[in-house]
Amino acid sequence: MRIGPYHLKNNLIVAPMAGVTDRPFRMLCKSMGAGMAVSEMVSSNSLLYGSEKTKRRANHDGEVDPISVQIVGADPKMLARAAQYNMDEGAQIIDINMGCPAKKICNVMAGSALLQDEALVARILEAVVGAVAVPVTLKIRTGWDKQNRNAIRIAQIAEASGIQALAIHGRTRACAYTGDAEYDTITAVKANVSIPIIANGDITTPEKARYVLQQTGADAVMIGRAAQGRPWLFREIEHFIKTGTHLPAPQVDEVHRVLLKHVYELYAFYGEHTGLRVARKHISWYTKGLIGSAHFRHHMNQLESSAEQLMAVNDFFDGQLQGGERLQYVEELAA
């Protein structure tokens, strides 16, 4: 899998997720086998460049190459400036968001709302590609709604504009995250363009990743929600695709170590006050479905200091070890 001059170590990519794919999460997933991770989206609004939030999102210190930053907006000139800004801050790949279904993004005609205006899509892509000396990639959905699927046409516009890879979430904007991903649409797009295609949507297991790659002919898969609390999913997928066999589930002590390292990274990145709150959702994802985790997660959200949070995590995993070396999942009504 190549994007411009960058040869990825494999074809497994972490999807950009707002509030999730910060630098600690991206670095963790890369260390666990992901070939690339795309940052959470950065607004093209130049007024935001000075905000602490935007500065954090543009922070790539110590991150493994290639560094891919996603920008979002609806104005070609502003997006071009945002691309230049992020390139100057260290971005090696610029990714344009035309896939986000969130109302606050679509209401300003950004994200997947842009799919309704193919002429504007072309202007945006040409402006951004022309503004930077690094590869530009694009993320889209299959269309605005089921009556207006235009992914093939958008892909052709992208290829003509100089886009170097295209990620497709296999749903329309109207579908949000409901229903099944449309792998047939991704297959059709792959057949109509020559740029690398990255398939995204409902890829939750090693078997599903192999199936999607085989079914669509896509060059890579992009994994989002399934990696939340399971960053080792990337190494499991890579192993399964290479060998057809499964890696053993991670041991309790490894998950404990990975989670603690992740939490410490969040404290360092955000500061204790914000880091504590960001850590809550990650701790919840790591422990969801484990014996006793519903009560643990509820208790976790009441804690107001890092010392209490770390102690609670240690106590929980000590309890998990009583059940054996490997994690044991149960269905919990209160999950």
Side-chain angles (χ1 to χ4, degrees):
M1 177 69 185
R2 290 188 71 90
I3 298 179
Y6 300 104
H7 188 263
L8 308 188
K9 67 178 181 179
N10 59 32
N11 58 354
L12 309 177
I13 299 172
V14 186
M17 293 176 280
V20 180
T21 48
D22 53 21
R23 192 188 71 196
F25 188 76
R26 295 193 305 270
M27 291 176 71
L28 174 60
C29 289
K30 287 177 179 179
S31 73
M32 287 277 178
M36 189 172 84
V38 184
S39 77
E40 53 186 330
M41 58 191 177
V42 179
S43 171
S44 65
N45 186 340
S46 59
L47 294 174
L48 294 177
Y49 287 171
S51 75
E52 281 305 312
K53 193 174 187 180
T54 300
K55 285 180 181 174
R56 263 203 307 268
R57 287 183 173 182
N59 183 325
H60 317 291
D61 295 345
E63 192 172 344
V64 178
D65 293 352
I67 293 163
S68 176
V69 173
Q70 187 179 81
I71 58 175
V72 63
D75 179 84
K77 289 180 181 176
M78 285 179 66
L79 279 160
R81 287 201 297 271
Q84 290 169 334
Y85 170 83
N86 282 288
M87 181 181 71
D88 292 343
E89 291 292 314
Q92 295 166 318
I93 296 170
I94 297 293
D95 185 59
I96 302 171
N97 181 316
M98 293 189 187
C100 180
K103 285 182 180 177
K104 71 176 182 179
I105 298 296
C106 289
N107 284 348
V108 293
M109 283 304 292
S112 53
L114 289 166
L115 301 177
Q116 298 172 97
D117 189 338
E118 293 177 4
L120 178 57
V121 168
R123 291 200 302 275
I124 287 172
L125 300 186
E126 288 164 10
V128 174
V129 169
V132 292
V134 298
V136 180
T137 59
L138 175 65
K139 181 145 192 262
I140 65 169
R141 286 186 166 238
T142 57
W144 177 250
D145 57 31
K146 290 182 178 180
Q147 289 70 46
N148 295 282
R149 285 194 183 93
N150 60 343
I152 293 175
R153 180 71 195 121
I154 295 289
Q156 291 168 334
I157 292 169
E159 185 171 37
S161 301
I163 293 298
Q164 300 206 25
L166 177 68
I168 309 171
H169 184 109
R171 291 181 172 86
T172 68
R173 186 270 163 188
C175 292
Y177 296 99
T178 61
D180 295 324
E182 309 159 24
Y183 300 128
D184 54 342
T185 305
I186 298 175
T187 305
V189 170
K190 175 63 184 169
N192 279 276
V193 293
S194 57
I195 56 176
I197 298 297
I198 303 161
N200 175 225
D202 296 350
I203 300 168
T204 55
T205 64
E207 290 89 346
K208 192 68 174 285
R210 184 175 70 175
Y211 168 81
V212 170
L213 286 166
Q214 291 174 344
Q215 192 75 9
T216 64
D219 302 276
V221 288
M222 179 173 273
I223 296 157
R225 290 171 293 166
Q228 293 173 354
R230 288 176 59 207
W232 48 85
L233 179 61
F234 295 98
R235 74 181 183 197
E236 292 175 344
I237 292 172
E238 184 173 34
H239 181 85
F240 183 76
I241 288 172
K242 284 180 177 175
T243 69
T245 62
H246 286 281
L247 285 174
Q251 294 189 331
V252 172
D253 60 354
E254 183 191 10
V255 176
H256 188 185
R257 282 197 312 274
V258 169
L259 174 52
L260 283 180
K261 185 173 187 296
H262 191 178
V263 169
Y264 278 118
E265 291 281 347
L266 292 171
Y267 296 160
F269 187 64
Y270 289 101
E272 180 176 350
H273 178 79
T274 302
L276 177 85
R277 282 150 182 79
V278 174
R280 286 173 181 164
K281 63 187 173 189
H282 288 281
I283 294 167
S284 177
W285 289 328
Y286 277 96
T287 58
K288 189 172 183 179
L290 295 173
I291 295 170
S293 74
H295 173 73
F296 164 74
R297 293 198 311 276
H298 177 73
H299 173 63
M300 173 63 56
N301 289 334
Q302 319 301 314
L303 304 179
E304 290 294 337
S305 76
S306 58
E308 289 177 309
Q309 191 172 64
L310 293 167
M311 187 181 300
V313 167
N314 290 335
D315 289 347
F316 177 78
F317 278 93
D318 287 346
Q320 294 298 305
L321 267 176
Q322 305 307 311
E325 287 186 348
R326 300 202 181 272
L327 295 174
Q328 296 183 35
Y329 291 90
V330 292
E331 290 298 323
E332 286 186 322
L333 294 176

